[in-house]
Amino acid sequence: PSAKVTNIKGVTVTFSYWNGDVEITDLAALVPGTYTLRATVADCDNYNSASAETTFKVDKISVSVPSVTGSYVYNGNPITAEIASSEYYDITTNSGYVTAGEHNVVLTLKDSALYRWATDAEGTSNTVNVPFTIAKAQSSVSITIGNWNFGSAASVPTVNGALYDATYTIMYVGTTNAGVAYSSETAPT
């Protein structure tokens, strides 16, 4: 497209847009890149013709990096973080987090030629990691054991609680009838 500007002195200026040697006729179709704007002043009664050029840049759309919302506590099951979706990126990794600690949701731009992450001014990275934490679960444990008679097989203790995949050791601690301190993973007899 061309734009013409006429001032009150009758001088007409014509603007044209260029990509190298190719004139651009549809500005809405411009993709990110560097272009040339040419201004031409037509010959008229009081002025000779003249022209000038300058370059301008069409930037990629800057896409804000979202944050993970919510809080997460280890529960023994795979966790998927809550994060906003967008027309500009895909959520490429966000599931199967099964341990407490630091994790990343991975986002990938749908079109890195048109979009860039707001945190990447040069637009060189197609993906971004969004960190979040799965907190350790609070252990809730109770143990029960039945009494038994001396010389008989020891009762088997039962451990209850939200331990998920935790391993634990049962220690028998006390004092024997003879007054001797006892501490062992083996039940006294």
Side-chain angles (χ1 to χ4, degrees):
S2 295
K4 292 185 178 182
V5 177
T6 303
N7 69 13
I8 57 173
K9 296 185 187 239
V11 175
T12 300
V13 179
T14 303
F15 296 99
S16 58
Y17 302 87
W18 297 82
N19 183 3
D21 293 333
V22 177
E23 185 173 7
I24 299 164
T25 58
D26 182 7
L27 291 180
L30 288 180
V31 296
T34 302
Y35 300 92
T36 301
L37 171 63
R38 292 182 185 155
T40 304
V41 176
D43 191 38
C44 63
D45 293 340
N46 296 315
Y47 297 96
N48 291 323
S49 64
S51 65
E53 289 186 358
T54 189
T55 58
F56 66 96
K57 184 177 179 182
V58 175
D59 289 322
K60 293 178 180 183
I61 293 173
S62 178
V63 179
S64 296
V65 178
S67 297
V68 170
T69 57
S71 59
Y72 305 92
V73 177
Y74 174 77
N75 63 12
N77 297 308
I79 292 175
T80 298
E82 292 179 29
I83 193 162
S85 60
S86 169
E87 64 184 293
Y88 302 115
Y89 59 81
D90 292 315
I91 301 170
T92 50
T93 304
N94 184 22
S95 64
Y97 306 108
V98 293
T99 59
E102 296 294 319
H103 301 281
N104 286 303
V105 174
V106 180
L107 306 177
T108 303
L109 292 170
K110 289 184 178 180
D111 190 339
S112 60
L114 301 177
Y115 316 131
R116 68 170 179 82
W117 295 111
T119 55
D120 179 17
E122 298 302 314
T124 57
S125 180
N126 192 38
T127 62
V128 67
N129 291 331
V130 183
F132 75 101
T133 301
I134 298 175
K136 289 183 177 183
Q138 181 63 41
S139 296
S140 172
V141 179
S142 65
I143 186 169
T144 57
I145 189 168
N147 296 327
W148 69 89
N149 292 322
F150 178 76
S152 301
S155 294
V156 177
T158 301
V159 177
N160 298 303
L163 295 175
Y164 306 110
D165 62 352
T167 57
Y168 56 89
T169 303
I170 297 175
M171 294 293 294
Y172 297 89
V173 178
T175 306
T176 66
N177 288 338
V180 178
Y182 185 87
S183 178
S184 174
E185 292 180 29
T186 305
T189 55

Coordinates of all heavy atoms in Angstrom, one line a residue, residues 4-13 40-42 44 46-48:
K4 N -0.3 8.7 0.7 CA 0.1 10.0 0.2 C -0.3 11.1 1.2 O -1.4 11.1 1.7 CB -0.6 10.3 -1.2 CG -0.2 9.4 -2.3 CD -0.8 9.8 -3.6 CE -0.2 8.9 -4.7 NZ -0.8 9.3 -6.0
V5 N 0.6 12.0 1.4 CA 0.4 13.1 2.3 C 0.6 14.4 1.5 O 1.6 14.6 0.9 CB 1.3 13.1 3.5 CG1 1.1 14.3 4.4 CG2 1.2 11.8 4.3
T6 N -0.4 15.3 1.6 CA -0.3 16.5 0.9 C -0.4 17.6 1.9 O -1.3 17.7 2.7 CB -1.4 16.7 -0.2 OG1 -1.4 15.6 -1.1 CG2 -1.2 18.0 -0.9
N7 N 0.7 18.5 1.9 CA 0.6 19.6 2.9 C -0.1 20.8 2.2 O -0.4 20.8 1.1 CB 2.0 19.9 3.5 CG 2.9 20.5 2.5 OD1 2.5 20.9 1.4 ND2 4.2 20.5 2.9
I8 N -0.1 21.9 2.9 CA -0.9 23.0 2.4 C -0.1 23.7 1.3 O -0.7 24.5 0.6 CB -1.1 24.1 3.6 CG1 0.2 24.5 4.3 CG2 -2.1 23.5 4.5 CD1 0.0 25.6 5.2
K9 N 1.2 23.4 1.1 CA 1.9 24.0 0.0 C 1.8 23.2 -1.3 O 2.4 23.5 -2.3 CB 3.4 24.2 0.4 CG 3.5 25.1 1.5 CD 5.0 25.4 1.8 CE 5.1 26.2 3.1 NZ 5.7 27.4 2.9
G10 N 1.0 22.1 -1.3 CA 0.8 21.4 -2.5 C 1.9 20.3 -2.8 O 1.9 19.8 -3.8
V11 N 2.7 20.1 -1.8 CA 3.8 19.0 -2.0 C 3.2 17.7 -1.6 O 2.6 17.5 -0.6 CB 5.0 19.3 -1.1 CG1 6.0 18.2 -1.2 CG2 5.6 20.7 -1.5
T12 N 3.3 16.7 -2.5 CA 2.8 15.4 -2.3 C 3.9 14.4 -1.9 O 4.9 14.4 -2.6 CB 2.0 14.9 -3.5 OG1 1.0 15.7 -3.8 CG2 1.5 13.5 -3.3
V13 N 3.7 13.7 -0.8 CA 4.7 12.7 -0.3 C 4.1 11.4 -0.4 O 3.0 11.2 0.1 CB 5.2 13.0 1.1 CG1 6.2 11.9 1.5 CG2 5.8 14.4 1.3
T40 N 8.8 9.5 -1.0 CA 9.1 10.1 -2.3 C 8.3 11.4 -2.4 O 7.1 11.4 -2.2 CB 8.9 9.2 -3.5 OG1 9.5 8.0 -3.3 CG2 9.3 9.9 -4.8
V41 N 9.0 12.5 -2.7 CA 8.4 13.8 -2.9 C 8.4 14.0 -4.4 O 9.4 14.0 -5.1 CB 9.1 14.9 -2.2 CG1 8.5 16.3 -2.5 CG2 9.2 14.7 -0.7
A42 N 7.2 14.2 -5.0 CA 7.0 14.4 -6.4 C 7.5 15.8 -6.8 O 7.5 16.7 -6.0 CB 5.6 14.2 -6.8
C44 N 7.3 19.3 -8.3 CA 6.2 20.2 -8.4 C 6.7 21.6 -8.8 O 7.9 21.8 -9.0 CB 5.4 20.2 -7.1 SG 6.3 20.8 -5.7
N46 N 7.4 24.3 -7.2 CA 8.5 25.0 -6.4 C 9.6 24.1 -5.8 O 10.5 24.5 -5.2 CB 7.8 25.7 -5.2 CG 6.9 26.9 -5.7 OD1 7.3 27.6 -6.6 ND2 5.7 26.9 -5.1
Y47 N 9.4 22.7 -6.0 CA 10.4 21.8 -5.5 C 10.7 20.7 -6.5 O 9.9 20.3 -7.3 CB 9.8 21.1 -4.2 CG 9.5 22.0 -3.1 CD1 8.2 22.5 -2.9 CD2 10.4 22.4 -2.2 CE1 7.9 23.3 -1.9 CE2 10.1 23.2 -1.1 CZ 8.8 23.7 -1.0 OH 8.6 24.5 0.1
N48 N 12.0 20.3 -6.4 CA 12.5 19.2 -7.2 C 12.0 17.9 -6.5 O 11.8 17.9 -5.3 CB 14.0 19.2 -7.3 CG 14.5 20.3 -8.2 OD1 13.8 20.6 -9.2 ND2 15.6 20.9 -7.9

